[in-house]
């Protein structure tokens, strides 16, 4: 990275078109372009203002909707503690509609497993189905999120407000 070296606890990296995004645990997004080997590159920082809302782990780009997906490994006391929370940041459009939150009840995300929660370590988007795939090191789990197409419209999400999305899941332990 250019000028100032960025030393942070980066939790994930994804590519969206010609831009590369890395996320820190407090939700700051670093955007930059690929550079030559050993060359410094210019970067910009997008402050999502979500550092007090959750601890982020992983980031993925959903090319069908131009969203960056940012799952919470741990949520703050302000958010529902019995739900899996995924923030979405739209790369294009009006600033007021760029940030939304999805929350999925743990009972629905976990299924019949005896886990107390689901703490994502990373997320990706399945290249052919568009389903979200989460992995959790803590629960040794792989979770597939299948979303109802009719529930894809979400209100803007601001820290402290509530929004939800219905989902079904296929979740299981990883050996």
């Amino acid at each position: 990275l250019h000028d100032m070296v960025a030393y942070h606890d980066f939790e994930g990296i994804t590519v969206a078109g010609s831009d590369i995004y890395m996320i820190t645990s407090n939700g700051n997004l670093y955007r930059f372009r690929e550079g030559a080997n050993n060359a410094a590159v210019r970067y910009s920082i997008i402050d999502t203002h979500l550092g007090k809302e959750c601890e982020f782990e992983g980031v993925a780009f959903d090319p069908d909707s131009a969203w960056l997906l940012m799952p919470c490994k741990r949520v703050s006391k302000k958010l529902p503690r019995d739900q899996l929370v995924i923030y979405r940041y739209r790369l294009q459009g009006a600033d007021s509609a760029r940030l939304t939150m999805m929350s999925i009840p743990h009972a629905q995300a976990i299924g019949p497993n005896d886990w107390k929660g689901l703490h994502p370590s990373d997320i990706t988007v399945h290249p052919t189905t568009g389903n979200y795939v989460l992995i959790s090191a803590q629960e040794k789990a792989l979770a597939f999120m299948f979303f109802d197409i009719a529930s894809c419209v979400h209100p803007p999400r601001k820290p402290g407000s509530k929004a939800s999305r219905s989902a079904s899941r296929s979740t299981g332990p990883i050996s």
Side-chain angles (χ1 to χ4, degrees), residues 11-23 29-32 58-63 67-70 91 122-125:
E11 300 294 344
I13 187 169
T14 193
V15 176
S18 57
D19 292 326
I20 301 169
Y21 292 85
M22 294 192 312
I23 192 168
L29 292 164
Y30 285 69
R31 179 180 54 214
F32 58 97
V59 63
F61 176 62
D62 184 345
W67 289 109
L68 288 179
L69 309 172
M70 307 175 304
L91 297 180
D122 204 0
I123 188 170
T124 193
V125 178

Side-chain angles (χ1 to χ4, degrees), residues 70-146:
M70 307 175 304
C72 292
K73 182 176 185 176
R74 289 183 190 85
V75 296
S76 74
K77 293 179 181 177
K78 298 177 190 176
L79 295 175
R81 299 184 73 66
D82 63 343
Q83 299 194 19
L84 170 65
V85 175
I86 301 172
Y87 282 95
R88 301 181 321 155
Y89 182 83
R90 187 179 301 281
L91 297 180
Q92 295 135 2
D95 284 347
S96 64
R98 282 200 164 180
L99 194 60
T100 64
M101 181 188 81
M102 300 181 332
S103 59
I104 303 157
H106 278 158
Q108 196 172 354
I110 293 169
N113 298 293
D114 61 358
W115 309 319
K116 294 189 183 337
L118 186 60
H119 304 87
S121 301
D122 204 0
I123 188 170
T124 193
V125 178
H126 191 282
T128 55
T129 66
N131 294 324
Y132 298 171
V133 181
L134 293 117
I135 190 165
S136 171
Q138 185 172 336
E139 286 82 18
K140 296 183 175 99
L142 183 64
F144 296 86
M145 300 294 158
F146 306 98

